[in-house]
Structure formats: structure tokens, C-alpha cells
Amino acid sequence: MNDASDHTDEAGGADLGRALRAVRRRADLSQRQLAEKSGVPQPTLARIESGRAVDPKFRTVERLVQAAGGKLAVGVPPSISAVTEPTPVPHDDMRDEAGRRYPARLDVWPVHEPRDWPGARWAEWYRLPPERYPLPLPPAAYELNRRYRDNRRWAAEVGGRRTCVG
């Protein structure tokens, strides 16, 4: 269970944009896909997720959450309702070179060396020193293949559950 502060703003209220982005990530949908499923315009969804939407309509939020396969609970503490927190977006604070957020549905990781970047297969094959890299390393990498992402998420989940015996 995540800390309640993960999805609250400075005033103690719900951080609706962050929670909605996490629900959309869990559903593995882009903003465009969620907008189409819910019937809510994509720019409206983008404004809610970025926090620029001032007081969005409850019905709009409800349609977005339901289209992403989530459930909306109001005024019920999670410990009583047994509603789990949405999965946080671990790379929410990361930005690409143009300052944009990476899509929430992707698993993004920072690139510190060539082996962190799937596009740098040349570095492993040739064991090149950094000054000989044919391409500069990007700040982050991600995988577009959904099956690969699902397997990676499953492996991380299973790996976290293992306990040492002996």
C-alpha cells in the first residue's frame, strides 16, 4: 500500500491529475486512447492530468476512471473500503530533452551507461570506451513493446516477493 501523500497535494486534498495518470498507466492506455474510450476530449484529459484544469466535473473524472478500468470512491478511507491505491508512475518526475513527461503507460528508466539503453547494442559488442561512442546517450530509455513491458513488470513484481531461505 502506498503512502497517502503519494496522491495528495500541499493542502491535503487529492492530487487528481497524478492519481488519474497512475490509473491510466495501470490500464496501459495513452491519453488519446483513454479519451476515445471515455468520450472525454483528449485536451481536457491532458489539463486534468497536468493540474491545469480548475475543478473538473465529477462526471468527467468518473467517466475517465471507469474507462481505464478503475473505481471511484469518495470520502471513504482506504483502510475501510479495501480500495487499493493506483500504481504510482515511477518516472513521473522524469522529462525528455524537450522538457515533456514520458507517456505514463511506458516503463522509463534513466540511462547512466550504454547497457541501460537498448539502442546501444554497439557498446556491448565492441566494448567501446565512452569517447568512441557513435551516438550520445539519451537521458532515459523505454520499451514500446507491450509484451516486453508486461514481462518486465511481472519479473519486477515476482522478484520483489522472493524471500531468502537458509
Side-chain angles (χ1 to χ4, degrees):
M1 180 77 68
N2 297 329
D3 183 12
S5 63
D6 285 351
H7 300 289
T8 58
D9 60 14
E10 296 79 28
D15 184 350
L16 183 60
R18 198 167 183 182
L20 186 57
R21 197 168 35 257
V23 169
R24 182 171 58 81
R25 173 185 159 75
R26 178 174 276 176
D28 200 28
L29 296 170
S30 67
Q31 283 186 349
R32 183 178 299 127
Q33 291 167 329
L34 181 56
E36 287 173 5
K37 279 183 81 171
S38 66
V40 173
Q42 186 273 330
T44 301
L45 172 56
R47 280 194 303 276
I48 294 171
E49 284 191 2
S50 69
R52 291 179 290 133
V54 181
D55 205 16
K57 292 181 180 180
F58 180 82
R59 179 66 185 132
T60 301
V61 174
E62 183 180 37
R63 286 170 49 194
L64 289 166
V65 171
Q66 287 177 347
K71 293 185 179 182
L72 196 58
V74 178
V76 179
S79 60
I80 295 172
S81 69
V83 174
T84 59
E85 290 277 330
T87 304
V89 180
H91 62 272
D92 205 27
D93 58 337
M94 295 177 71
R95 301 287 188 269
D96 67 8
E97 293 168 336
R100 299 170 298 217
R101 278 192 178 106
Y102 288 97
R105 70 183 189 282
L106 300 179
D107 293 334
V108 180
W109 58 90
V111 174
H112 300 293
E113 55 187 72
R115 70 178 174 174
D116 298 335
W117 182 32
R121 302 213 191 286
W122 44 264
E124 291 298 319
W125 292 341
Y126 303 112
R127 305 271 185 221
L128 294 174
E131 60 273 4
R132 304 262 333 261
Y133 292 168
L135 299 170
L137 296 179
Y142 54 88
E143 180 58 53
L144 291 174
N145 182 313
R146 183 174 181 166
R147 178 174 287 155
Y148 179 84
R149 287 194 326 261
D150 289 346
N151 287 338
R152 191 177 158 106
R153 289 176 187 173
W154 176 82
E157 185 178 319
V158 169
R161 291 183 189 166
R162 290 187 181 153
T163 58
C164 294
V165 178

